[in-house]
Amino acid sequence: MAKIIVVTSGKGGVGKTTTSAAIGTGLALRGFKTVIVDFDVGLRNLDLIMGCERRVVYDFVNLINGDSNLNQTLIKDKRSDMLFILPASQTRDKDALTPEGVERVLNELKETFDYIVCDSPAGIEKGAHLAMYFADEAVVVTNPEVSSVRDSDRMLGLLSSKSRRAENGEKIKEHLLLTRYNPERVENGEMLSVSDVEDILSIPLLGVIPESQAVLKASNQGVPVIMDDKSDAGQAYADAVERLLGKDMPHRFLELQKKGLLQRLFGGR
Amino acid sequence: MTADTTLDLLDNDPVFNLKGGMLTMTVVELARLSQDHFARQLAEKVEQAPNFFVDTPVVIALDKLTDRIDAAALKGLLEICRQHGLQPVALRGGESFRPLAQSAGMVLVPVGRQREKSIETPALRPEPAPVAQAPRAAPSGGGKLITEPVRSGQQVYARGGDLIVMAPVSAGAELLADGHIHVYGPLRGRALAGVQGNTEARIFCQNLEAELVSIAGHYKVAEDLRKEKQWKQAVHISLDGDSLKMTAL
């Protein structure tokens, strides 16, 4: 049975698309046939992060309007046979998405895929609502700062009241993913700690992604950061995918790395 | 018999007090006459906040109405209101509506001076329209029991009873109750007990970090609350005269 996972946050710029790309790729690398759907119509980014922007012909809106079929529209990832991308339209706006159209496309995807990862746009308007409406599970991406946490809280409220599962009296499984975590700044009191955020949102923690140069580098190269298994962020995403699949993994990268004597002497980072 | 009467005459304890009072009332201001549209639009409003409209007294304002209204049309409108739980108690409008009001057995109230306020929504809940649906509640006696976290942007109202929340209440969430409010978890949002004016209502919470607490309209905001020594503690809030009293639990 296909699972629909929405990656959402409320606030913009917290790492939804990076997370969608990483989780989608991680699932595909573990042998699940996965499609990542970009719901951010008008501000499409997923294709850039996935490095397939030059192969976009048709998009989600074309598919909804019946201008193209699934085979024409889905972009196969070059790194994995199990991974596909459904790009958003850059020239339309979110009104082009209709609930009936989205449902039809998702139902069609459900027939062939194990996981459907929906990359939600920021905000709580139509695009974000449709991205989460049909979801079975939600990954709520939050930065360790108060406005992001509050927006995520608002999003969790909507997930538990305005989704189809909620309307049918079922629950969406919620996961908290904390991104851009910097233990040094937490220690200095400039950032909320993991336990602060967990305390406010009170949902299970899927993972903590450390703030890392690797994320920016990966985005600019069009390679999902999870492919960079040398980097802390890549490893943290890999752990998060394992947890999403039900494995119990200890959380890493939460503590400040003590600088070695040489690092301290030479001020290396 | 005579003795009784004498006794009664000597008994000067008042049986009643006459008092002037202000009541907040919902006004249904009619713009035009169309029963079908009225029924549909009212149904939509009620759906957004079903709890709010149970036995709510309303005034039907006819002063803005452009169409002529007769007794039969009014009867139809009143019927629709009652179907949705509203209790029309008076008509608002000029003297010309007096016969109409009498025929419907209602009071005619003059057009108020506060017309410029243009009350479109009930005063107790300034923004009922965009309110997110409250988490599922288990029905019980007169109160309401919430077991899921109340998130930012959500509003829960226990009409005619107490509200018990067994989960965190986030900043930006709002709890309203005609009776007491109990929160078994951190209270970070707003809690308004006794919203219909019950000064005996109280608020109990395990961890006071609220943005605002209010009992019967007497409120304190976080800025003042955090000066209390019960901040972030288990606390019991009651109304003492005109001010809120915090007691450690």
Side-chain angles (χ1 to χ4, degrees):
Chain A
M1 184 61 195
K3 244 184 202 161
I4 303 181
I5 301 175
V6 61
V7 177
T8 188
S9 71
K11 198 172 188 299
V14 295
K16 284 183 294 296
T17 302
T18 301
T19 300
S20 301
I23 288 183
T25 307
L27 289 168
L29 291 176
R30 281 158 186 76
F32 297 99
K33 198 171 177 199
T34 306
V35 56
I36 314 176
V37 185
D38 191 351
F39 272 79
D40 205 348
V41 176
L43 292 169
R44 141 186 132 192
N45 272 172
L46 180 70
D47 52 330
L48 289 172
I49 307 258
M50 295 298 295
C52 64
E53 72 276 13
R54 273 173 248 146
R55 291 190 287 143
V56 176
V57 183
Y58 294 106
D59 57 49
F60 197 8
V61 174
N62 292 136
L63 193 54
I64 284 177
N65 292 342
D67 305 334
S68 61
N69 63 33
L70 261 192
N71 277 335
Q72 294 170 310
T73 318
L74 288 180
I75 303 174
K76 195 163 163 296
D77 188 80
K78 282 187 172 157
R79 293 162 289 248
S80 166
D81 287 345
M82 305 297 270
L83 185 60
F84 292 80
I85 290 104
L86 179 53
S89 172
Q90 181 70 348
T91 51
R92 307 292 292 271
D93 62 30
K94 282 160 186 97
D95 291 332
L97 298 178
T98 59
E100 303 75 32
V102 170
E103 183 172 22
R104 204 191 66 235
V105 171
L106 289 178
N107 282 341
E108 218 172 311
L109 291 171
K110 268 180 162 179
E111 287 169 16
T112 44
F113 286 95
D114 299 317
Y115 283 96
I116 302 165
V117 177
C118 300
D119 180 22
S120 169
I124 53 172
E125 313 309 329
K126 193 172 180 187
H129 181 241
L130 283 174
M132 62 92 158
Y133 185 74
F134 300 100
D136 302 307
E137 298 193 18
V139 174
V140 177
V141 183
T142 306
N143 288 168
E145 48 103 15
V146 283
S147 63
S148 173
V149 172
R150 177 174 291 190
D151 289 0
S152 295
D153 190 53
R154 180 88 166 91
M155 208 31 147
L156 285 165
L158 293 175
L159 284 167
S160 62
S161 63
K162 294 280 164 102
S163 61
R164 187 159 67 179
R165 279 194 163 233
E167 284 168 9
N168 294 339
E170 297 169 294
K171 284 201 71 169
I172 288 186
K173 200 171 171 197
E174 298 156 337
H175 308 275
L176 172 64
L177 188 77
L178 207 53
T179 54
R180 299 202 167 157
Y181 194 74
N182 184 335
E184 193 180 330
R185 295 185 60 192
V186 171
E187 202 148 287
N188 295 339
E190 299 166 7
M191 249 187 199
L192 296 176
S193 70
V194 177
S195 63
D196 290 340
V197 180
E198 274 188 298
D199 185 41
I200 297 172
L201 295 179
S202 50
I203 59 168
L205 185 65
L206 181 68
V208 178
I209 313 299
E211 188 164 44
S212 165
Q213 292 296 325
V215 174
L216 188 66
K217 198 176 112 200
S219 298
N220 286 334
Q221 290 177 342
V223 180
V225 68
I226 199 168
M227 306 288 285
D228 182 358
D229 51 15
K230 302 269 188 312
S231 72
D232 46 0
Q235 291 173 26
Y237 270 120
D239 287 1
V241 171
E242 293 293 348
R243 287 187 206 102
L244 195 63
L245 293 169
K247 223 174 179 184
D248 203 10
M249 306 279 287
H251 288 280
R252 296 191 275 171
F253 315 111
L254 303 188
E255 300 298 325
L256 186 58
Q257 298 293 318
K258 287 274 179 286
K259 281 185 181 170
L261 179 65
L262 283 176
Q263 268 183 312
R264 244 183 286 176
L265 282 177
F266 298 109
R269 272 196 67 120
Chain B
M1 186 70 189
T2 31
D4 273 4
T5 322
T6 332
L7 257 182
D8 272 352
L9 288 174
L10 290 173
D11 181 4
N12 278 334
D13 278 351
V15 180
F16 63 89
N17 288 317
L18 278 180
K19 283 192 169 173
M22 297 276 286
L23 281 178
T24 314
M25 287 249 244
T26 306
V27 178
V28 179
E29 198 174 74
L30 291 178
R32 60 198 173 91
L33 202 56
S34 163
Q35 247 186 51
D36 295 343
H37 287 97
F38 180 72
R40 203 187 62 227
Q41 292 172 11
L42 185 63
E44 283 168 9
K45 282 266 182 241
V46 171
E47 201 180 318
Q48 284 163 5
N51 288 328
F52 191 79
F53 291 99
V54 183
D55 286 333
T56 304
V58 294
V59 176
I60 310 282
L62 303 173
D63 40 292
K64 293 275 173 64
L65 186 63
T66 47
D67 306 317
R68 265 184 54 81
I69 182 166
D70 57 16
L74 178 66
K75 196 163 167 248
L77 292 182
L78 297 181
E79 195 46 47
I80 295 168
C81 287
R82 292 196 183 103
Q83 277 167 10
H84 290 293
L86 303 177
Q87 298 292 344
V89 293
L91 294 184
R92 193 182 79 185
E95 271 306 306
S96 58
F97 292 110
R98 190 166 292 281
L100 194 63
Q102 277 167 352
S103 77
M106 295 172 83
V107 186
L108 184 73
V109 295
V111 179
R113 276 162 297 172
Q114 75 285 21
R115 265 177 62 183
E116 65 279 1
K117 272 170 87 182
S118 162
I119 310 157
E120 280 174 8
T121 48
L124 278 174
R125 294 173 44 158
E127 311 166 307
V131 159
Q133 211 180 322
R136 218 160 293 281
S140 67
K144 202 174 214 180
L145 176 69
I146 306 284
T147 52
E148 297 286 306
V150 186
R151 305 281 183 187
S152 180
Q154 293 184 317
Q155 191 179 45
V156 185
Y157 182 22
R159 168 172 282 275
D162 298 350
L163 178 60
I164 301 162
V165 182
M166 298 175 63
V169 178
S170 298
E174 193 167 56
L175 305 180
L176 301 153
D178 290 347
H180 312 303
I181 293 177
H182 305 251
V183 181
Y184 301 100
L187 168 59
R188 302 191 175 103
R190 296 160 159 249
L192 295 89
V195 289
Q196 300 275 17
N198 179 6
T199 52
E200 297 300 311
R202 295 181 178 199
I203 297 170
F204 304 84
C205 68
Q206 263 186 344
N207 191 352
L208 177 72
E209 295 175 53
E211 294 173 324
L212 178 145
V213 292
S214 161
I215 295 175
H218 301 274
Y219 64 89
K220 260 191 183 169
V221 293
E223 197 165 88
D224 303 319
L225 287 173
R226 51 175 73 230
K227 292 175 197 151
E228 304 279 342
K229 56 180 182 296
Q230 278 84 18
W231 181 250
K232 294 201 174 184
Q233 309 284 318
V235 66
H236 154 211
I237 305 167
S238 56
L239 194 59
D240 183 17
D242 274 348
S243 61
L244 296 181
K245 195 172 86 181
M246 317 267 160
T247 325
L249 263 182

